[in-house]
């Protein structure tokens, strides 16, 4: 039987990269998927891909840093499908590298707004319908940069470290109510964020690859598989964890 048969899954940042891969994967496992992103055109394309593969998806434009957007997003999910079983809070962004003294305050704030407050807001509105049913699974997207430092990206690193703390706090608050909350910590995956960063610089790509003992970077689907597992009953005893999915990057 499909692992998410009959369930409703919400995925943020679903217009591209890991989020799109997760939306397609969750749907292939039987979930009706609510795919959300600030990029309305991109998330519509994701929903079309899900449907073309025989699945069911609703595309919603939402900025996860805005409370009203996230509240409306969860409301749309409930109006369309009547329940919410799992959520993968994945939306994220990168920015130009600056050391702390040169980091523009707005860039730092935006990183925290989207990747830390955004995860908080998603959980804030996802949890009530899950509590109503007495079950649910939430997976928050952190990063290897949530476990160790990375120069030039203080806002990103601070947000991702924060996601792991937020995940642990929520896991403790809701584990007795049947809701599991976990984080995943991806290493480098071949997505828009990384292609923007590496560009067509083969030397930089070699350097990034060398950071991963497994000898390559990930495909987005390999990260999505970890999010899927944490959403399913197969991970029924896992909560409050920060699962590295990184080819050995932070084990060094
Ligand atoms: N690719 C990697 O190497 C890597 C490594 C570690 C962690 N991550 C994390 O994985 C997640 C997905 O990133 P990706 O690599 O697939 O990148 P991506 O750029 O392909 O996808 C990120 C998506 O988030 C969306 N988004 C950005 N701001 C948003 C907002 N305010 N509201 C709603 N959606 C918004 C973007 O439009 C985009 O579709 C991010 O949280 C990222 O930090 C990625």
């Amino acid at each position: 039987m499909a692992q998410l048969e009959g369930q409703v899954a919400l995925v943020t940042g679903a217009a591209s990269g890991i989020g799109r891969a997760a939306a397609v994967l969750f749907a292939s496992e039987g979930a009706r998927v609510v795919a959300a992103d600030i990029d309305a055109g991109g998330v519509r394309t994701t929903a079309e891909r899900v449907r073309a593969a025989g699945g069911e998806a609703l595309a919603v434009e939402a900025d996860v840093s805005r409370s009203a957007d996230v509240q409306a997003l969860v409301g749309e999910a409930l109006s369309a499908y009547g329940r919410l079983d799992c959520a993968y809070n994945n939306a994220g962004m990168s920015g130009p590298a600056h050391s702390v003294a040169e980091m523009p305050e707005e860039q730092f704030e935006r990183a925290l707004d989207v990747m830390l407050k955004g995860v908080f807001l998603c959980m804030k509105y996802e949890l009530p319908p899950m509590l109503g049913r007495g079950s649910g699974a939430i997976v928050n997207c952190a990063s290897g940069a949530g476990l160790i430092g990375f120069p030039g990206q203080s806002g990103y690193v601070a947000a991702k470290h924060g996601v792991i703390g937020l995940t642990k706090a929520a896991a403790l608050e809701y584990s007795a109510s049947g809701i599991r909350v976990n984080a995943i910590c991806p290493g480098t995956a071949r997505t828009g964020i990384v292609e923007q960063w590496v560009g067509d610089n083969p030397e930089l790509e070699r350097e990034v690859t060398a950071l991963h003992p497994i000898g390559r970077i990930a495909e987005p689907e390999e990260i999505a598989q970890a999010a899927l597992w944490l959403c399913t009953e197969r991970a029924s005893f896992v909560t409050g964890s920060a699962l590295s999915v990184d080819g050995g990057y932070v084990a060094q």
Side-chain angles (χ1 to χ4, degrees), residues 13 15-18 37-39 62-64 90-92 110 114 141-143 156 160 186-189 191-194:
S16 64
I18 298 166
D37 204 289
I38 199 168
D39 171 1
D63 177 344
V64 296
N90 161 83
R110 186 66 184 152
V114 173
C141 190
S143 169
Y156 186 92
K160 295 301 191 181
T188 309
T191 68
I193 284 183
V194 170

Side-chain angles (χ1 to χ4, degrees), residues 2-89:
Q3 296 186 61
L4 296 177
E5 197 59 54
Q7 298 199 19
V8 176
L10 192 158
V11 179
T12 69
S16 64
I18 298 166
R20 172 173 282 172
V24 171
L25 177 66
F26 286 26
S28 76
E29 288 294 341
R32 286 165 288 168
V33 173
V34 181
D37 204 289
I38 199 168
D39 171 1
V43 82
R44 267 200 306 276
T45 304
T46 299
E48 279 158 19
R49 285 197 193 175
V50 167
R51 289 183 209 115
E56 200 171 331
L58 173 72
V60 180
E61 180 181 357
D63 177 344
V64 296
S65 71
R66 291 171 43 92
S67 187
D69 280 24
V70 181
Q71 189 172 13
L73 163 64
V74 173
E76 281 195 55
L78 295 175
S79 309
Y81 299 130
R83 56 192 277 173
L84 181 62
D85 300 279
C86 55
Y88 175 39
N89 299 322

